[in-house]
Amino acid sequence: MPGRNLYLHEQIDIVGEGAMRYMEHTAGFNAGAAADRGLELVGTWYTMGSTGRWPQVVNLWECVEGWSGWRRLMEATNLRRTQNPALNDWWQEALKTRTGGFDRLLGAAPGCPSLAELRTSGVSGSVFLHEISEVRPGASLDYLAAVRESRVPLLADYGYALVGLYEVLLTDVEVVTIWATDPAGHEALMRAADDGRDERFARWHEHARAAGRNRWREELMTPYPDTLLSRGDSL
């Protein structure tokens, strides 16, 4: 897929009540100085503990200029890390509120909005649906095409806006999707899916399995208020 956007997806293990402080620190990251302009923040969220691992923060960054940005990021934050004072200062402060994490390199699937398109369209939410699912080896793009065809219009009817459709690179068995909504939209969707009155949910799961999905796992996230996709609701 030539010319597609690339993303860095981070799941961060947080120390105690440090999620807000870490998200604030992330939102203030100077990518020009510390990452050689290789990154731009899409969003930083904390995982709702009633739905997933906690305390945890999820970050999503778009690589500026695709593979060129990824190379600059790799060089600035890994190969030259000890020679990068801006990154070292940021890292030392971050260690006060995090212990580690797990990162993924993502590639945008067809239909995935870019950061510029998210800005233009005004997509925002106070609740975000975050999916990391397992697919049959090599079926990532087939599954994400099924999401674009069937799940995007279904979730839109319940007040969900697509943030991203991502193939996980450096493996061939994972995908990530992210959606923006609010508590009312989430309640409406869960009620309809649970009571079976909207048959499209059952059809979607059949379609997803046929397209290569083996297992799915979703959780809810809340964004840091002072970020692009947040509606600014209080935390």
Side-chain angles (χ1 to χ4, degrees):
M1 295 181 60
R4 66 170 165 175
N5 288 319
L6 302 174
Y7 296 84
L8 176 62
H9 175 277
E10 303 179 296
Q11 290 180 289
I12 308 296
D13 298 324
I14 296 297
V15 178
E17 294 291 331
M20 285 295 294
R21 183 177 169 190
Y22 179 75
M23 289 191 292
E24 180 181 14
H25 189 52
T26 297
F29 182 73
N30 185 338
D36 196 13
R37 302 164 290 104
L39 291 174
E40 191 167 3
L41 185 66
V42 179
T44 180
W45 303 264
Y46 79 85
T47 303
M48 288 191 182
S50 351
T51 66
R53 180 178 175 81
W54 60 274
Q56 179 179 259
V57 165
V58 175
N59 296 331
L60 183 68
W61 308 81
E62 187 173 278
C63 293
V64 178
E65 299 172 351
W67 287 112
S68 296
W70 175 253
R71 175 183 56 78
R72 294 197 305 274
L73 173 67
M74 182 172 58
E75 291 174 344
T77 62
N78 288 276
L79 302 183
R80 299 197 304 267
R81 179 180 161 188
T82 59
Q83 305 166 34
N84 188 338
L87 177 64
N88 284 333
D89 290 346
W90 187 92
W91 192 275
Q92 291 303 315
E93 182 63 28
L95 285 176
K96 297 176 183 178
T97 51
R98 71 179 184 183
T99 59
F102 187 88
D103 294 353
R104 292 172 174 86
L105 172 63
L106 309 180
C112 176
S114 66
L115 180 55
E117 289 168 337
L118 290 170
R119 283 196 185 100
T120 301
S121 62
V123 169
S124 67
S126 54
V127 173
F128 286 73
L129 183 65
H130 179 228
E131 171 199 8
I132 302 176
S133 289
E134 179 188 298
V135 297
R136 291 194 297 271
S140 298
L141 292 177
D142 291 336
Y143 170 68
L144 292 170
V147 172
R148 186 178 69 250
E149 175 186 343
S150 299
R151 192 155 170 80
V152 169
L154 171 57
L155 266 61
D157 285 349
Y158 290 90
Y160 284 67
L162 178 66
V163 172
L165 301 171
Y166 311 107
E167 175 188 17
V168 180
L169 305 181
L170 305 180
T171 181
D172 63 351
V173 294
E174 278 190 323
V175 298
V176 173
T177 70
I178 300 177
W179 314 76
T181 187
D182 56 28
H186 175 65
E187 179 188 0
L189 184 143
M190 294 302 292
R191 282 182 180 275
D194 190 44
D195 66 21
R197 69 175 182 267
D198 190 335
E199 296 179 355
R200 292 178 297 170
F201 287 102
R203 291 200 300 271
W204 156 245
H205 288 298
E206 292 176 1
H207 190 180
R209 287 188 288 270
R213 189 187 70 192
N214 287 335
R215 286 191 287 269
W216 61 281
R217 177 73 175 86
E218 295 175 342
E219 61 191 3
L220 298 180
M221 312 185 299
T222 298
Y224 183 67
D226 191 23
T227 47
L228 171 70
L229 300 179
S230 172
R231 291 185 185 169
D233 299 33
S234 298
L235 292 179

